[in-house]
Amino acid sequence: MTMTKEVFQKEFCDKLTTTFGKNVEEATDKEAFQAISLMLKDELHRKWQRTQQAYQDQDHKQVYYFSMEFLLGRLIETNLLNVGWLNICREALTDFGFHSEEVFCEEHDAGLGNGGLGRLAACFLDSLASLKLPGHGVGIRYKYGLFQQKMVNGYQVELPDYWLKDDYMWETKREEEAVEIRFGGTVHTIQRDQKLCFEHRDYERVLAIPYDVPIVGYQNDVVNTLQLWSAESMSNHFHFQSPNGHDYYHYLDYKRSVEQISEFLYPDDSYYEGKLLRLKQQYFLVSAGLQSILQKHKKSNLSIQQIPDYISLQINDTHPSLIVPELMRLLLDEEGLGWDEAWSITTSTVAYTNHTTLNEALETWPQEMFQTLLPRIYMIIEEINERFCRMLWHDFPELRDSIHQMAIISYGTIHMAHLSMVGSYSINGVAKLHTNILKKRVMKPFYTVFPERFNNKTNGITHRRWLLNANPELANLLSTTIGKGWIKEPKELIQLLKFAHDSSFQEAISNVKLRNKQAFASFIYKQYGIVIDEQSIFDVHIKRLHGYKRQLLNIFHILHLYHLCRENPHLQMTPRTFIFGAKAAPGYHFAKNVIKLITSAAEKINNDPVAKDKIKIIFLENYNVSLAERIIPAADVSEQISTASKEASGTGNMKLMMNGALTLGTRDGANVEIAEMVGPDNLFTFGLTSEEVFEYQRNGQYRARDVYNSDQRLRTVLDQLVTQFFSNDDVEFKDIYYSLLMKNDEFFVLKDFDSYVEAQQLVDQTYRHQQTWLKKSITNIAHSGKFSSDRTISQYANEIWGIHPVEI
Ligand code: 26V
């Protein structure tokens, strides 16, 4: 039956009655949300079943995207849009006196990710389903997602994110598909029928239970699966025998330690610590996911040898890299294959994506801890390592001096990136520049050994969430101008180029932006009681707080502007609203200090009459996917100012350009490709190049103190950090001051300051010529089609996975 408003309203009322015993007048927003979700679920489950059936019947190769993070945000709007009910639902709710936005806000964000890496995984799932590709996600159902950020007196305070407080409407628990995971114990080598066998004894047993979340394709009947695993204790693991009750206490200890495994998401995304619990999480994910995939494979009567023809396993960074030894274990110990055959299957099935070159984020594990927790897996890694090093010795004599740097295990440490590269048939970076840095520098010797494995897949974002859903007014304007084709073929946005100089189209674009800015301003007023000038430039810096992302550079420029205002109350400048959104890892003191600097500057500047019509600073509390969806449509300027070479790609840059913001950025990550697409006139580029950064790092000739000494503007700003400028506490920001002047400014903030200020002046001047600005803005939107994750996923599908669209 096709959905109409009348049908929708009838089913909606029925659901309210059967679920809550209420009619529409009595129902709360939450109940309305739940009723809609239940209606959707009925619809989705039918399509879901048909999709899975089709994948099985037509025996297609399928891909499994293994990730420790899936940053989904809300699904209600996406799901409504994708089944074609969104407008009907909105109208129906309005008729009944609901505000649809408020009803949708009842869904708690699924924040099972830290930032870019987790959100990328979510965009990829959306594109896989929308392109009718048989691809699924495998992750962990954390009980607590990324912490909620509360601002207290300008400081970040972390609160637990108990996102499962109300039932998660989209998930289905599949108890019957539970598998067992084994930790600890000992491995015994025994002879069985002339064969060496490995017997694992005295291990701890953990039950892994999958919860399936449907991933809905855009109006195409496809529903794929995100399988999230939860850890539970096994009640039959213990026998209660002892009369003094000791067993019972042991059982409680065991139960608590098991449930910890899927308790929370680690809140760091750039600083790695070898924590036992994180290792447990990783093995748990990999072992549960793989066992269930192999079971399904075997059920469809396919042979073990056919695994590479039917399955691709993509690992999102090294976090799931234990998939390599775990697949080996299953093939060797459970399926009885020999090493060579098992290795050939494994290395034709696993593919690895690298997302960072930051040394401090590269995963390694202490050998002893690893061996105790995963004794059999350790043995297998040892064997992989030995064979790899032997191969290097024989086949690459020129690399003999590098073997200790390439080894998987060296000096008591296991290197997960090395394991991932040795065990995969594909190794990809996430933007051209990043992939080249991998090949030429960070992973150079591996590139020598496995040149054919390296490839680039520039990231992308789903234009359905980030344009169609987040910015409906702009989406409508685009559709009336160039037709609706861009929704299925985002490259068609290029047709907008014809209108870049068209003054009536420019005006329409400008009106949409203004309305989005008004909507955002009223949200800010409601939330914080702060009035912002809708005519001002909305300058947006939203991402995790990190030294290399250089929020510090941004705030230094603002402090400099403020100084100019104080010196000259008649200063000519376009009013600006500087908007920040950022969470700092709870243990990252420097990052937290930068947040406090931003909020202190906001407090001072926002309340100073001298600056009040020119500068406003807003620090948004608890930046997350849903908040991003509000800010991005209202942005004029997109701050992408990382130290060149440090940001692997960035994806916020793509979301903002797609919504008409102009990039102010360094030549880093995907900024380089954005610049290539739009041309140098349509964004603002500044700062050192990655090669210059590498050269300074090599020759050690950068002197931050010299820059400070020779630039009065920097002296003014930096001295304010340690002279009671913000409060009578003059030590609060001394660590920042010292990191720049004593520790020589690792991220070249001072070095790039002058160039940044100049670029900011150009932003100001350009904005005054609205026609020029709008032309640039339209040009950005027109070229943003390339950065749809549909393009990225098509490339993964064709060039790495070898999977094809399926007709349902
Ligand atoms: C690292 C760690 C280290 C230990 C604790 C937990 C944890 C969680 C995540 C990570 C991964 C860091 C890598 C990462 O997030 N990279 C980002 O990936 C984005 C998608 O490719 C890309 O756009 C960003 O530039 C890149 O920083």
Side-chain angles (χ1 to χ4, degrees), residues 69 117 268-269 271-272 278 319 355 459 548 647-650:
E69 308 190 9
L117 169 134
D268 310 73
D269 70 343
Y271 185 75
Y272 160 79
R278 170 115 176 138
H319 317 155
H355 296 267
N459 282 166
Y548 84 81
E647 188 71 273
S649 161

Side-chain angles (χ1 to χ4, degrees), residues 224-365:
N224 288 336
T225 306
L226 167 58
Q227 190 153 58
L228 297 176
W229 293 89
S230 175
E232 285 193 17
S233 56
M234 303 185 86
S235 47
N236 58 356
H237 188 44
F238 276 86
H239 301 283
F240 300 102
Q241 281 168 343
S242 81
N244 54 19
H246 284 161
D247 290 345
Y248 180 65
Y249 290 110
H250 275 138
Y251 174 73
L252 290 184
D253 277 349
Y254 153 77
K255 181 169 149 62
R256 202 157 306 142
S257 96
V258 166
E259 284 165 4
Q260 260 184 29
I261 296 173
S262 52
E263 187 111 314
F264 76 98
L265 165 80
Y266 272 87
D268 310 73
D269 70 343
S270 49
Y271 185 75
Y272 160 79
E273 281 177 286
K275 291 266 173 64
L276 180 67
L277 182 57
R278 170 115 176 138
L279 181 58
K280 274 192 181 175
Q281 291 186 334
Q282 296 188 349
Y283 182 67
F284 174 78
L285 163 70
V286 154
S287 182
L290 249 188
Q291 288 187 57
S292 123
I293 291 164
L294 289 197
Q295 272 174 20
K296 228 181 280 160
H297 178 81
K298 283 164 55 176
K299 260 200 210 139
S300 38
N301 288 321
L302 294 163
S303 74
I304 290 296
Q305 285 69 22
Q306 285 169 300
I307 287 175
D309 303 326
Y310 285 87
I311 297 170
S312 248
L313 306 170
Q314 188 71 36
I315 58 173
N316 201 15
D317 217 291
T318 56
H319 317 155
S321 57
L322 292 177
I323 204 154
V324 172
E326 176 66 0
L327 181 52
M328 286 299 286
R329 182 186 72 82
L330 292 169
L331 297 177
L332 297 169
D333 299 357
E334 307 285 325
E335 303 299 331
L337 265 51
W339 183 276
D340 290 337
E341 197 178 15
W343 185 243
S344 149
I345 293 172
T346 301
T347 52
S348 315
T349 307
V350 177
Y352 158 59
T353 306
N354 173 285
H355 296 267
T356 183
T357 55
L358 294 187
N359 220 350
E360 63 273 25
L362 292 184
E363 290 192 299
T364 58
W365 297 106

Side-chain angles (χ1 to χ4, degrees), residues 555-570:
I555 198 73
F556 282 178
H557 167 250
I558 299 172
L559 289 170
H560 162 63
L561 281 184
Y562 176 48
H563 181 73
L564 295 182
C565 291
R566 302 209 317 167
E567 278 195 322
N568 171 15
H570 306 292

Side-chain angles (χ1 to χ4, degrees), residues 165-181:
K165 175 164 73 236
D166 305 316
D167 288 345
Y168 188 51
M169 296 305 290
W170 310 115
E171 70 184 5
T172 304
K173 183 175 185 177
R174 307 245 185 242
E175 245 169 321
E176 69 287 1
E177 289 178 35
V179 298
E180 182 184 311
I181 317 293

